[in-house]
């Protein structure tokens, strides 16, 4: 019997499996197609400051702690797998297309500053000096130097290889009931499918996302740009290899994975408003990811209140890539009887059951 069975082979499951195996546990990952879910479709933004929202201060603390761990985590995954994960640290630029967008962005900046976060207000000209491909119609922006990015698909491949090298076993199968899993401990890291195995407040949140191709020698952007374009939210994430990721919608559509013409149109229109050169790029992929959402948009990390054999690592919503380092460290600590990072204490399942 294996020490630990991890249900789910996305970034959270793979990172947790790797960390647990590093601590000497025998680990098996159960997933019919590891890395093919939301982790495959994600943009890979590491943006705790850019994505902060009113009422989510506890989540901000968790996100900032995980972001702090990311440079060392990326280097360690690279060393353990021999594969680069595309970690980039140029920062993130938030921009506003019209006056209403600028007012909304200014409100966000004031909130960020009130929380003590590092942000810098920029005029339109300064934004275009940083990113010449931006539209001259932009009204202004905010630079967030500490918000970075990683190539999510490279990360998945590297984590899989790191797991393989440290002895993690993979069983390509689905799990329909926890009592059919034979292991000393079970980690539920099945994303939006977790609620099918346990009574958890985790639901799918549909996100449609596009991937375009550009010449790396003539990149339209050099850093992540998040924009408000006449009230529409859009982000553009350039990769060093010539991929531009544009996303993403937020739709309450259950497990629907249909790519719709309207969503593609809206994303492209907003992206072209912000970066006109996008109109000349090759559209190479349209896809849908199902984020595992919770009522407070924060993850569920910790031991089940009903069965001490089960550890939860799910419900990461839009922050799965960002929160992978701190979640994996917490899961490995729980499994070995050590104290998990204090910052995860607020994210147990008990907060929904009180």
């Amino acid at each position: 019997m294996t020490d630990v069975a991890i249900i789910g082979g996305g970034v959270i499951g793979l990172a947790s499996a790797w960390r647990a195996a590093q601590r000497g546990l025998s680990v098996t990952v159960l997933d019919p197609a590891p890395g093919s879910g939301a982790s495959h479709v994600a943009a890979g933004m590491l943006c705790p400051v850019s994505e902060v929202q009113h009422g989510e201060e506890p989540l901000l603390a968790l996100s900032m702690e995980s972001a702090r761990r990311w440079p060392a985590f990326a280097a360690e995954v690279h060393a353990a797998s021999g594969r680069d994960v595309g970690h980039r640290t140029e920062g993130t630029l938030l921009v506003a297309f019209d006056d209403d967008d600028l007012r909304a962005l200014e409100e966000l900046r004031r909130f960020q500053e009130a929380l003590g976060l590092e942000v810098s207000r920029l005029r339109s000209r300064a934004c275009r000096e940083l990113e010449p491909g931006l539209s001259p119609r932009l009204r202004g922006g905010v630079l967030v130097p500490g918000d970075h990015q990683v190539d999510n698909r490279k990360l998945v491949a590297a984590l899989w290889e790191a797991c393989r090298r440290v002895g993690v076993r993979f069983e390509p199968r689905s799990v329909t009931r926890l009592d059919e899993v034979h292991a000393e401990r079970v980690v539920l890291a099945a994303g939006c499918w977790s609620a099918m195995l346990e009574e958890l407040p985790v639901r799918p949140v549909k996100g449609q996302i596009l991937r375009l191709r550009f010449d790396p020698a003539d990149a339209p952007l050099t850093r992540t740009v998040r924009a408000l374009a006449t009230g529409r939210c859009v982000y553009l994430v350039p990769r060093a290899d010539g991929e531009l990721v544009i996303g993403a919608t937020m739709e309450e559509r259950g497990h629907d994975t249909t790519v719709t013409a309207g969503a593609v149109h809206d994303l492209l229109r907003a992206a072209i408003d912000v970066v006109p050169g996008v109109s000349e790029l090759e559209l190479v992929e349209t896809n849908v990811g199902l984020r595992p959402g919770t009522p407070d948009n924060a993850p569920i990390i910790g031991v089940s209140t009903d069965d001490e054999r089960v550890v939860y690592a799910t419900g990461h919503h839009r922050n799965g890539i960002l929160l992978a380092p701190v979640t994996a460290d917490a899961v490995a600590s729980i499994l070995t009887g050590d104290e998990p990072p204090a910052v995860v204490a607020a994210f147990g399942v008990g907060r929904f059951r009180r």
Side-chain angles (χ1 to χ4, degrees):
M1 178 183 293
T2 188
D3 292 330
V4 182
I6 295 183
I7 304 173
V11 165
I12 296 296
L14 292 175
S16 299
W18 177 51
R19 285 301 196 209
Q22 284 181 317
R23 298 198 182 195
L25 298 174
S26 60
V27 181
T28 300
V29 174
L30 308 176
D31 193 308
S36 64
S39 297
H40 179 75
V41 183
M45 293 180 295
L46 310 176
C47 293
V49 177
S50 301
E51 293 202 343
V52 66
Q53 296 186 21
H54 291 276
E56 294 186 2
E57 287 82 354
L59 177 57
L60 173 65
L62 182 69
S63 299
M64 293 295 287
E65 174 59 25
S66 201
R68 185 187 66 79
R69 295 171 185 238
W70 247 104
F73 181 76
E76 191 178 350
V77 173
H78 187 180
S81 65
R83 299 187 180 189
D84 177 55
V85 300
H87 186 225
R88 297 181 62 175
T89 60
E90 293 89 347
T92 293
L93 182 62
L94 312 181
V95 296
F97 187 72
D98 63 20
D99 288 339
D100 288 340
D101 297 329
L102 185 59
R103 281 189 285 271
L105 187 56
E106 277 295 290
E107 181 181 348
L108 173 62
R109 179 185 62 83
R110 288 191 293 269
F111 178 54
Q112 292 166 331
E113 290 182 339
L115 294 172
L117 303 174
E118 184 182 2
V119 295
S120 301
R121 180 183 180 183
L122 299 178
R123 296 188 180 277
S124 177
R125 178 177 295 179
C127 292
R128 296 193 67 222
E129 287 174 354
L130 285 177
E131 296 293 346
L134 292 172
S135 168
R137 297 176 59 190
L138 292 179
R139 302 296 294 151
V142 174
L143 179 64
V144 186
D147 279 3
H148 301 153
Q149 65 150 295
V150 67
D151 188 320
N152 56 297
R153 293 181 177 180
K154 289 182 178 180
L155 174 63
V156 167
L159 282 171
W160 187 92
E161 178 63 16
C163 284
R164 188 191 67 81
R165 291 186 181 187
V166 79
V168 173
R169 294 178 60 248
F170 288 86
E171 290 188 13
R173 66 182 179 93
S174 299
V175 176
T176 56
R177 296 187 330 196
L178 290 186
D179 60 11
E180 70 185 44
V181 179
H182 303 293
E184 293 293 330
R185 303 295 296 273
V186 176
V187 177
L188 183 55
C192 70
W193 307 98
S194 299
M196 295 186 174
L197 294 171
E198 285 277 89
E199 189 176 341
L200 295 173
V202 179
R203 72 189 190 284
V205 180
K206 180 180 179 180
Q208 301 191 50
I209 195 166
L210 316 176
R211 280 174 161 81
L212 289 74
R213 178 65 53 187
F214 62 85
D215 181 354
D218 186 25
L221 295 170
T222 62
R223 75 199 73 217
T224 298
V225 169
R226 300 174 64 95
L228 284 174
T230 59
R232 298 160 295 167
C233 297
V234 67
Y235 56 72
L236 301 93
V237 185
R239 309 283 196 222
D241 62 1
E243 180 179 76
L244 181 66
V245 183
I246 296 177
T249 65
M250 296 274 284
E251 305 170 53
E252 299 287 349
R253 300 284 186 180
H255 290 88
D256 172 42
T257 56
T258 304
V259 176
T260 63
V264 173
H265 170 269
D266 290 346
L267 288 172
L268 286 175
R269 181 181 175 187
I272 291 168
D273 281 347
V274 175
V275 183
V278 166
S279 64
E280 302 299 322
L281 302 183
E282 178 187 6
L283 177 61
V284 296
E285 181 182 315
T286 60
N287 215 328
V288 170
L290 298 177
R291 310 174 187 90
T294 65
D296 60 4
N297 296 328
I300 302 172
I301 304 171
V303 180
S304 165
T305 55
D306 299 321
D307 184 352
E308 291 186 354
R309 187 176 76 114
V310 179
V311 178
Y312 297 138
T314 188
H316 290 75
H317 195 24
R318 62 184 185 271
N319 294 308
I321 305 294
L322 169 62
L323 296 176
V326 73
T327 301
D329 288 344
V331 169
S333 294
I334 291 168
L335 293 173
T336 54
D338 296 329
E339 194 69 27
V343 74
V344 307
F347 298 98
V349 71
R351 71 186 192 274
F352 298 118
R353 295 180 175 173
R354 283 192 286 267

